[in-house]
């Protein structure tokens, strides 16, 4: 796999993390020796990290694209950093990355997973990107009680929730042996009302973009996704502009880029490559 972690510091204008970036969370690129004409920018999800998007990156690279993945401030470091970073930081890093790539390639497309799907939607609208592929895009999030979070974020730092590692999920990234356990202890074992509010701000901004989003857009939903409903993809492909397609994979979970059902994972990744290769 032709991967490099020598990428621009797209976080330099945004919140500066105090904790070290875990190996799995390093932003990365897969660039051909002879530079491709087209690039793809990959955007990870809420509490996620760039290593989760290695599989779509690898497949797109093999299809002839140069591929890049950003890391948002507050992600892949510590819970303390997470609490200090905001929606503007997360969106801003993706914006700066796309702006840089746009000057280097004939076309730059976007792939976004979960909250990364919302961020990719915002960036695509800002730059009039021609193609966009979304995996379980977080434009509808039933589990977020907006009114309650709006209130709690001022008084509650975090609340405990149950998390345990699922060994059936196989990752593709190069990282430290304890990455999953460490990130679980920092991110996935808690609810952070303040950060959930920032997620809601990202979601609302993405929805507001749909009326004028020109990109030809593929949105993929999973039948076993308990986080983002099929309704989110239906909302996206119902936009007025562009050629749009909804693919529903009954056996896919929310974590499509590394789904434990390999057939579902393969189907989703093939659909993304096919869509961006048209």
């Amino acid at each position: 796999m032709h991967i490099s972690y020598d990428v621009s510091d797209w976080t330099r204008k945004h919140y500066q993390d105090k904790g070290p970036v875990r190996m799995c969370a390093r932003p990365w690129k897969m660039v051909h020796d002879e530079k491709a004409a087209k690039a793809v920018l990959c955007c990870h999800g809420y509490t996620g990290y760039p290593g989760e998007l290695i599989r779509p990156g690898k497949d797109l690279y093999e299809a002839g694209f140069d591929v890049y993945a950003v890391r948002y401030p507050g992600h892949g470091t510590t819970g303390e950093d997470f609490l200090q970073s905001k929606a503007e930081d997360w969106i801003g890093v993706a914006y700066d990355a796309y702006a840089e790539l746009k000057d280097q390639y004939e076309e730059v497309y976007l792939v976004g997973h979960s909250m990364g799907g919302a961020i990719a939607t915002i960036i695509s609208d800002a730059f009039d990107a021609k193609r966009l592929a979304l995996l379980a895009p977080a434009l509808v999030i039933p589990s977020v009680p907006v009114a309650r979070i709006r209130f709690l974020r001022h008084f509650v730092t975090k609340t405990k929730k149950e998390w345990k590692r699922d060994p059936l999920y196989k990752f593709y990234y190069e990282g430290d042996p304890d990455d999953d356990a460490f990130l679980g202890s920092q991110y996935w074992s808690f609810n952070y009302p303040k950060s959930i509010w920032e997620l809601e701000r990202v979601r609302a901004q993405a929805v507001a973009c749909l009326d004028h989003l020109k990109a030809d857009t593929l949105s993929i939903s999973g039948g076993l996704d308990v986080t983002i409903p099929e309704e989110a993809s239906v909302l996206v492909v119902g936009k007025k502009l562009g050629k749009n397609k909804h693919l529903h994979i009954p056996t896919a979970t929310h974590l499509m880029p590394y789904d434990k059902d390999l057939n579902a994972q393969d189907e989703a990744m093939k659909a993304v490559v096919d869509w961006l290769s048209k």
Side-chain angles (χ1 to χ4, degrees):
M1 183 164 53
H2 194 83
I3 188 167
S4 169
Y5 302 98
D6 181 19
V7 301
S8 297
D9 180 11
W10 296 308
T11 69
R12 62 186 178 274
K13 297 179 183 178
H14 308 285
Y15 171 76
Q16 295 297 293
D17 295 290
K18 306 303 186 292
V21 178
R22 303 293 295 190
M23 284 185 67
C24 66
R26 293 170 293 174
W28 52 258
K29 65 183 179 182
M30 300 183 195
V31 176
H32 293 81
D33 294 333
E34 183 175 340
K35 197 172 186 178
K38 297 179 181 180
V40 179
L41 180 65
C42 297
C43 301
H44 66 77
Y46 176 82
T47 74
Y49 51 93
E52 295 178 326
L53 298 177
I54 293 288
R55 170 68 198 274
K58 179 178 71 71
D59 288 14
L60 286 163
Y61 174 82
E62 291 173 355
F65 295 95
D66 285 351
V67 192
Y68 298 78
V70 296
R71 181 192 68 86
Y72 319 132
H75 289 70
T77 59
T78 66
E80 289 78 10
D81 281 330
F82 189 50
L83 279 168
Q84 295 302 314
S85 62
K86 298 181 180 296
E88 288 83 0
D89 299 307
W90 307 342
I91 296 168
V93 165
Y95 184 100
D96 290 349
Y98 191 97
E100 178 180 301
L101 297 178
K102 188 173 183 290
D103 289 337
Q104 300 176 11
Y105 292 90
E106 293 178 12
E107 298 286 352
V108 183
Y109 302 149
L110 292 115
V111 170
H113 173 233
S114 195
M115 183 183 78
I119 289 176
T121 298
I122 294 166
I123 303 306
S124 180
D125 181 53
F127 288 96
D128 284 340
K130 291 188 177 179
R131 288 195 175 274
L132 176 63
L134 307 176
L135 305 167
L139 274 70
V140 177
I141 316 175
S143 61
V144 174
V146 176
R148 186 165 179 263
I149 291 297
R150 183 186 287 115
F151 173 78
L152 283 179
R153 66 193 169 102
H154 297 296
F155 307 102
V156 178
T157 301
K158 62 183 179 181
T159 59
K160 187 75 175 175
K161 69 176 182 180
E162 184 179 355
W163 174 81
K164 61 180 180 179
R165 180 177 178 274
D166 187 339
L168 294 179
Y169 285 102
K170 305 297 183 184
F171 300 99
Y172 296 89
Y173 58 76
E174 302 170 320
D176 297 309
D178 64 337
D179 277 335
D180 206 39
F182 178 82
L183 294 175
S185 74
Q186 296 295 304
Y187 296 91
W188 311 319
S189 296
F190 299 97
N191 286 314
Y192 294 94
K194 181 180 175 182
S195 299
I196 295 173
W197 178 251
E198 299 302 316
L199 167 62
E200 167 57 20
R201 294 179 62 220
V202 173
R203 184 206 67 81
Q205 186 172 335
V207 171
C209 290
L210 293 180
D211 283 345
H212 34 80
L213 180 64
K214 297 177 182 178
D216 293 343
T217 303
L218 168 69
S219 191
I220 306 178
S221 57
L224 302 181
D225 189 341
V226 297
T227 304
I228 303 297
E230 183 178 1
E231 176 189 351
S233 288
V234 172
L235 175 66
V236 171
V237 301
K239 67 185 181 68
K240 299 175 183 178
L241 302 176
K243 298 177 181 177
N244 309 301
K245 178 181 178 180
H246 174 208
L247 172 64
H248 183 72
I249 303 176
T251 55
T253 69
H254 183 65
L255 306 177
M256 295 178 202
Y258 51 99
D259 206 302
K260 54 189 173 184
D261 185 321
L262 188 56
N263 289 330
Q265 182 186 137
D266 288 346
E267 183 177 355
M269 297 306 102
K270 182 179 185 303
V272 168
V273 172
D274 287 350
W275 185 257
L276 298 185
S277 298
K278 286 185 177 181

